[in-house]
Amino acid sequence: MAVSILIPTPLRRFAGGARSVEVEGATVDEALAALAAAHPELRDQIFEEAGGIRPFVNIFLGGDNVRTLLAGESGVPVRDGDTITLVPAIAGGSAVAAPDVTLSNEEILRYSRHLIMPEVTLEGQRKLKAAKVLCIGAGGLGSPLTLYLAAAGVGTLGVVEFDTVDLTNIQRQVLYSTSDVGRPKLEAAAERLRALNPDIAIVPHSLRLNSSNVIELFKQYDIIADGTDNFPTRYLVNDASVLTGKPNVYASIFRFDGQVSVFGANDGPCYRCLFPEPPPPGLVPSCAEGGVLGVLPGIVGSLQALEVIKLILGIGDPLIGRLAMFDALAFEVREVKIRRDPSCVVCGTNPSVTAPIDYELFCGIRGEEVELDERGIPAVSVDEFNRRRLGGEAFTLLDVREVYETEIVQIPGAITFPLSELPARLHELDTAQTYTLSCHHGTRSAQALQAMRQAGFGRLQILSGGVDAWAARIDPSLPRY
Amino acid sequence: MGMTDPRSITIPPEAEAVMRAHAEVTYPNEACGALVGTGDGVNEPWMVTSAEPAPNEFDGGHHNRYLIAPAFQVQVERSALAAGLDLIGFYHSHPEEQARPSEYDRSHAWAGYAYRVYSVHAAKVVDGNTFTLDAPEGTFVPVADLPASPQQQTES
C-alpha cells in the first residue's frame, strides 16, 4: 500500500525539509519503519532505542490516535492512499516560570529530598529560592513557620518582631533556647535561622507593624504569613495584604484549637469576609490569659509553612476559600468554606478601606480616650461635648436623623447625614477622621456607629441622649419632639 | 530594505487580537492554541496568517498548565496544509506570570516551532513575546516581532 506520512514542522529538518513522505507498507508499523529507513535521522526522533514510539510523539491514522495500538501482534492495517500524521505533544504552562536563580552543588545535595519529587524538582527548588516570604511574628507560630521555611530553602525570609525572649515563651517557641532569655527575639531568631540554612537571606524587621509602615514593607515580599496573636495586627495584616495584592497565609491558635487559611489570593476571600469586625475587646483572651498547649503552635505553624510552600510551588489545593480548624483534644480537622463577600469593605466590589486605618481604635483597644456608655458604645455626654466645643476643639458632628426631623431642631454645626443614606454615602467620609454621631435619643447614632465601624472607621463616638438631651440640658430654647 | 532576520515573526493584528482576547477570557486559567502561517524561522521568517484557539486538555489545574489535544493539532495541521500553509507554532498565556517560557515550557518544547507567550495580570494581557527552542543548546531564544505592515507600500 502507498501511504503518505505528514511530517510536522519540527521534524522536517530530519526529513530533508519534506512536508510529506510517501512510503509503502501494509501496516502503520511498516510505514513508519519505511520512513525511518528512508530518513535515518528521523528514526531517533520517532523511535526509542528499544524500538517503541518515543514519549511525546503521537501517531494518527486519519483522525484516530493509534499510538497505543502500535507494535501489537497484527499491527494497525493501512489502506492505499491513507494519511499518517506524526504529532508532537504540545504542553507547557507557567507552572513556576523559571526564576533567574541557580543552585550550587551543595544546595542540590541539601535539597535532594525535594528535587527527586516530580511535584518539586529543580524548578520548584529554584522557585523556593527566588521566593520572598514575610513572617509576622516570631513566637509560637512563627517558630515552626520560620524554621521550616528556612530549612526548605525559601530564599528571602523576612521576620517582623520587636519583643524579647521571656522564659514563659520557651514552652512553645522552639526557635529559642533557655540561654536566649532576655535577648531580643529577632537577634536570637536570625542567629538560629542562619545557622540552620546559611544559603538564604534572613531579613530582620525590628519594628511594630503599623498603618504607616505596613504597605512599603509588604511590597518587598511575595507572600505574607500572619502569625500574630492580636486583632489589631491581624486586621492590619489582612487589609495591607489585600491592598498590596499579596497572599496572606493565616494561622491562629487558642488553648487546644488552631485555624489555618489562605486569604487574599486568586480572587479568594479575605479575613474580613469571614470576620467583618473584631470581637469586643476582652472577649477573646490572649495566650497569656487563656493559655496554650505548647505543641499546638508547633502543629499549626507547620501547617502554615506547608501552605506557604504549596503557594510558592503552585502545587496541590491551597486553603483559599477554606478555613481549616484543628481540634487537638478531639483530634479533628474540620473545614468551612468561606466565600468572598462582595460587600467586604477591603476586598469587595466597592471597598471603603483603601488605605490602612487605625486598627487599635477599630478593635476598641485604645479605650482610655473614649468613654463607653452602658451599651459599651463609645459616647460623649452633651455637657462634655459642649464644653469641648466652647473650648474651640474641632469636631465633625453627623446628625443621622432624617431630613424632616432635622428641620424641626438641630444642634448648631451638625451635618445632616441620614442613617437611611449612610451606606451609599460612606465614601464622602474619611475613615481616619473622628466623627461624633447624633440622632434623636441615641439609638440610631449607635446603629450608624456600628455600620461605620464595619466600614473601617476607627474614631467614632455618639452624642449621648442626642438632640433631645441637647435641648433639655444645653439650650432649653430649642423645641423637643 | 535589508535582509530580514529569519528568526523573526510577523503577526497580523487580527491574529494578535484573537490570542489576546482568548488569554483574557480564559484568565485566571491558561489559554492555548496554534499558530498557522508560513516560514520556518531558519531559512524564512515566520508569517502568521491565523491563530487557532484550542481547548486546554490538561487533566488538572489549568491555572499554570496547558495541554493541546493531538487530535486538535491534526485537524489544524491538515487544514493548514490544504490551504498551502503550515502549523508553525503555538501560543499560551501565563496568568500572573511573566511573558517568558517557564522551565516546564522549555522541557516540553520542540525546536522548529514558534512559541508565543502572553503575560496576563488581572485579566488583562500586559505583555507578549515569541520564542523558539535553539536545538543544539536546548534553550529558548527570543524571536523578533516584526510589525505587520503591508509588504509593498504604494507612494501616492
Side-chain angles (χ1 to χ4, degrees):
Chain A
M1 314 283 166
V3 294
S4 52
I5 302 180
L6 295 186
I7 313 293
T9 325
L11 299 184
R12 282 184 202 157
R13 61 198 168 99
F14 305 108
R19 280 199 164 98
S20 164
V21 176
E22 304 294 320
V23 293
E24 288 286 331
T27 62
V28 174
D29 299 74
E30 284 181 22
L32 291 176
L35 174 70
H39 299 282
E41 274 190 272
L42 202 50
R43 182 200 310 272
D44 298 340
Q45 300 296 322
I46 304 172
F47 293 103
E48 291 184 302
E49 271 185 46
I53 301 290
R54 279 188 58 193
F56 305 121
V57 177
N58 286 294
I59 309 294
F60 272 66
L61 175 62
D64 300 318
N65 195 345
V66 296
R67 181 194 158 91
T68 53
L69 308 176
L70 298 182
E73 284 295 307
S74 52
V76 180
V78 293
R79 283 172 305 186
D80 205 44
D82 269 352
T83 301
I84 295 169
T85 313
L86 306 181
V87 186
I90 298 299
S94 66
V96 214
D100 295 325
V101 295
T102 52
L103 298 183
S104 67
N105 288 352
E106 196 185 309
E107 285 175 297
I108 287 173
L109 189 59
R110 174 185 283 266
Y111 304 120
S112 59
R113 299 299 184 273
H114 274 166
L115 303 181
I116 57 176
M117 288 194 290
E119 293 82 0
V120 183
T121 71
L122 187 62
E123 183 183 334
Q125 195 64 49
R126 286 162 68 198
K127 191 86 179 177
L128 284 168
K129 189 172 178 178
K132 299 183 178 117
V133 178
L134 180 66
C135 301
I136 317 291
L141 292 166
S143 287
L145 176 66
T146 54
L147 284 167
Y148 275 113
L149 294 183
V154 169
T156 304
L157 197 55
V159 186
V160 177
E161 184 60 73
F162 55 87
D163 214 352
T164 51
V165 182
D166 187 90
L167 187 58
T168 62
N169 299 152
I170 306 296
Q171 162 255 21
R172 63 194 179 284
Q173 300 183 12
V174 295
L175 255 179
Y176 312 110
S177 300
T178 307
S179 58
D180 290 324
V181 170
R183 291 179 77 191
K185 279 188 176 177
L186 209 49
E187 182 187 303
E191 193 178 288
R192 171 82 181 91
L193 295 171
R194 282 181 185 131
L196 172 64
N197 192 341
D199 297 325
I200 61 169
I202 306 294
V203 186
H205 297 285
S206 179
L207 51 85
R208 200 184 277 266
L209 211 56
N210 62 38
S211 301
S212 54
N213 60 23
V214 68
I215 298 291
E216 279 312 305
L217 184 62
F218 280 21
K219 279 184 182 169
Q220 301 166 34
Y221 290 90
D222 306 323
I223 296 175
I224 311 300
D226 178 14
T228 52
D229 60 353
N230 65 79
F231 287 100
T233 315
R234 192 169 297 161
Y235 279 93
L236 171 69
V237 169
N238 178 72
D239 294 2
S241 302
V242 173
L243 293 171
T244 54
K246 312 288 180 178
N248 170 20
V249 180
Y250 153 86
S252 73
I253 45 162
F254 178 64
R255 289 170 53 83
F256 300 101
D257 296 301
Q259 299 183 344
V260 190
S261 190
V262 176
F263 293 118
N266 291 358
D267 285 334
C270 80
Y271 184 73
R272 286 214 202 215
C273 297
L274 180 62
F275 300 114
E277 58 180 324
L283 189 72
V284 179
S286 66
C287 284
E289 295 159 343
V292 61
L293 194 69
V295 65
L296 183 74
I299 294 163
V300 178
S302 301
L303 292 176
Q304 200 180 5
L306 172 71
E307 288 301 308
V308 170
I309 289 170
K310 277 163 62 185
L311 283 182
I312 297 170
L313 295 177
I315 60 172
D317 293 318
L319 278 170
I320 298 170
R322 297 185 289 153
L323 178 74
M325 296 181 292
F326 175 62
D327 176 345
L329 286 187
F331 209 105
E332 264 181 11
V333 180
R334 284 180 304 131
E335 196 181 296
V336 291
K337 289 228 181 310
I338 317 165
R339 279 177 208 284
R340 185 166 175 178
D341 180 359
S343 65
C344 175
V345 295
V346 187
C347 74
T349 44
N350 197 10
S352 58
V353 176
T354 52
I357 60 170
D358 185 327
Y359 293 90
E360 298 212 336
L361 265 178
F362 175 60
C363 296
I365 305 290
R366 213 182 294 153
E368 65 277 10
E369 293 168 22
V370 185
E371 295 287 321
L372 300 182
D373 69 10
E374 66 284 354
R375 296 168 296 182
I377 290 168
V380 60
S381 69
V382 289
D383 301 284
E384 174 66 14
F385 184 76
N386 192 43
R387 193 185 59 74
R388 290 197 216 160
R389 187 176 73 103
L390 296 176
E393 194 173 306
F395 64 90
T396 305
L397 182 64
L398 299 181
D399 190 336
V400 301
R401 293 175 302 150
E402 298 304 313
V403 176
Y404 54 82
E405 293 174 278
T406 62
E407 283 169 354
I408 302 169
V409 58
Q410 193 161 36
I411 299 168
I415 299 165
T416 306
F417 211 86
L419 181 61
S420 57
E421 298 172 15
L422 189 72
R425 292 182 60 191
L426 278 177
H427 65 274
E428 298 173 24
L429 306 174
D430 178 358
T431 49
Q433 205 188 318
T434 301
Y435 294 105
T436 305
L437 308 172
S438 159
C439 62
H440 190 197
H441 290 115
T443 303
R444 279 173 287 173
S445 56
Q447 292 170 1
L449 181 138
Q450 298 291 9
M452 289 178 71
R453 208 183 238 178
Q454 284 193 26
F457 290 81
R459 302 166 180 271
L460 301 171
Q461 61 181 359
I462 68 160
L463 187 66
S464 282
V467 69
D468 194 57
W470 183 271
R473 297 180 59 87
I474 308 298
D475 186 356
S477 74
L478 294 177
R480 296 175 68 181
Y481 68 101
Chain B
M1 234 210 263
M3 279 279 289
T4 310
D5 181 0
R7 194 177 269 170
S8 62
I9 191 164
T10 303
I11 303 170
E14 300 77 25
E16 180 72 14
V18 164
M19 294 188 280
R20 285 178 179 250
H22 187 206
E24 291 180 357
V25 298
T26 315
Y27 179 90
N29 288 326
E30 293 201 358
C32 54
L35 298 173
V36 173
T38 59
D40 57 11
V42 180
N43 303 308
E44 194 191 329
W46 281 299
M47 297 281 287
V48 173
T49 52
S50 69
E52 306 292 338
N56 185 348
E57 301 287 350
F58 181 69
D59 183 17
H62 284 181
H63 66 285
N64 61 6
R65 284 274 195 272
Y66 78 90
L67 177 71
I68 293 180
F72 175 85
Q73 280 167 257
V74 170
Q75 183 197 323
V76 171
E77 180 146 33
R78 290 198 181 157
S79 47
L81 288 174
L85 302 166
D86 274 320
L87 171 55
I88 58 172
F90 297 90
Y91 72 89
H92 74 283
S93 62
H94 281 178
E96 301 301 334
E97 288 286 355
Q98 293 178 342
R100 59 186 168 109
S102 67
E103 176 58 23
Y104 189 82
D105 289 332
R106 194 200 61 77
S107 60
H108 287 75
W110 295 82
Y113 280 137
Y115 289 89
R116 186 152 177 84
V117 188
Y118 290 96
S119 168
V120 192
H121 288 285
K124 291 301 288 179
V125 168
V126 295
D127 197 9
N129 296 303
T130 312
F131 299 84
T132 191
L133 197 69
D134 187 52
E137 297 294 322
T139 53
F140 265 115
V141 289
V143 173
D145 281 306
L146 298 184
S149 56
Q151 287 280 299
Q152 292 159 332
Q153 263 179 319
T154 44
E155 296 280 342
S156 59

